[in-house]
Amino acid sequence: MSENQSDPILASYRASIDNIDAALIHILAERFRITKAVGAYKAQNALPASDPGREDAQIARLRRLAGDAQLDPEFSEKFLRFIIEEVIRHHEQAAEIK
């Protein structure tokens, strides 16, 4: 018998975590659908793939939100920087295709 089957409290926590993980995947997918459109727009209008001022402002804003939510701001910044780097890579690819 696995831990999950023998401990209903742990099983309940894990089910909640699984639901949250699924929601995160769907939210990230939606975010990347939108940023893909942004990348296409930037490519069509010869705009740079990266906007360092906006990126810095977003990181500062989300660090504040993370602190308010009792989430480690360092972790939230690392996570957001990873996403931003991936978005920029997609935007650069869109510009190359254009």
Side-chain angles (χ1 to χ4, degrees):
M1 188 181 285
S2 74
E3 272 182 35
N4 202 22
Q5 293 170 333
S6 65
D7 188 334
I9 294 171
L10 183 58
S12 175
Y13 290 148
R14 287 180 173 168
S16 292
I17 290 168
D18 291 349
N19 288 339
I20 293 166
D21 288 346
L24 286 170
I25 293 300
H26 287 282
I27 289 168
L28 283 170
E30 183 63 18
R31 189 184 197 288
F32 276 95
R33 274 191 285 280
I34 295 165
T35 59
K36 182 177 180 182
V38 170
Y41 178 84
K42 285 181 171 185
Q44 290 168 354
N45 293 280
L47 297 171
S50 176
D51 183 345
R54 173 161 167 76
E55 293 154 20
D56 290 345
Q58 280 294 92
I59 288 169
R61 183 178 76 86
L62 293 175
R63 282 184 66 95
R64 285 190 304 275
L65 288 172
D68 292 345
Q70 298 177 351
L71 177 66
D72 179 4
E74 291 296 318
F75 168 77
S76 65
E77 181 174 340
K78 287 177 189 176
F79 183 72
L80 185 59
R81 284 194 187 278
F82 174 77
I83 291 171
I84 289 170
E85 288 170 13
E86 190 66 12
V87 168
I88 291 169
R89 187 177 69 81
H90 291 178
H91 290 185
E92 289 169 346
Q93 288 174 341
E96 290 171 6
I97 293 170
K98 175 73 177 118

